[in-house]
Amino acid sequence: MNTLKKKSKFKHALYLILALAMLVYALPLISFQPGAGWISLFGAVWAGFAFLVIGAHLHFILGVNEDKQRALDAIRLEKYKEWQEKWLKEGKRGQSL
């Protein structure tokens, strides 16, 4: 599980670097001058989404909600076990018919 977490953090770090690179490349090209109209609006919205992506990856890398993630993983595991038991019971019931 630990290596899986490291792979996941590496993936998020890579995506964070890519998003930062795109933002650094695009911000000087976006025109925020008066009269640009839709171009300025599109540039601002695009930059806003880029900042959201960067923030989401930083949030994951820094592990702000590790306790919450552990709780969600425990719930997911319990649901998986319930699903597996239900599936096995249905499989046995189908064999006896």
Side-chain angles (χ1 to χ4, degrees):
M1 176 101 174
N2 198 15
T3 56
L4 182 62
K5 198 174 226 181
K6 286 182 182 180
K7 276 186 181 180
S8 182
K9 284 201 177 198
F10 175 75
K11 177 181 74 170
H12 285 281
L14 179 66
Y15 293 155
L16 172 68
I17 292 168
L18 288 173
L20 280 170
M22 286 181 2
L23 192 63
V24 166
Y25 176 76
L27 273 181
L29 300 176
I30 297 172
S31 174
F32 293 110
Q33 297 174 354
W38 291 105
I39 297 171
S40 295
L41 181 64
F42 175 79
V45 170
W46 185 89
F49 279 122
F51 282 120
L52 283 174
V53 168
I54 291 167
H57 288 295
L58 275 175
H59 179 79
F60 184 85
I61 291 170
L62 297 175
V64 176
N65 284 334
E66 284 189 22
D67 292 334
K68 188 176 185 179
Q69 186 62 41
R70 276 191 227 113
L72 288 173
D73 288 341
I75 292 170
R76 192 174 298 119
L77 183 62
E78 281 298 316
K79 286 185 176 184
Y80 176 74
K81 286 180 182 178
E82 288 176 14
W83 174 79
Q84 189 176 22
E85 288 174 9
K86 181 180 175 184
W87 183 72
L88 287 173
K89 285 179 186 177
E90 287 179 5
K92 287 181 183 177
R93 191 178 339 149
Q95 289 176 352
S96 64
L97 293 178

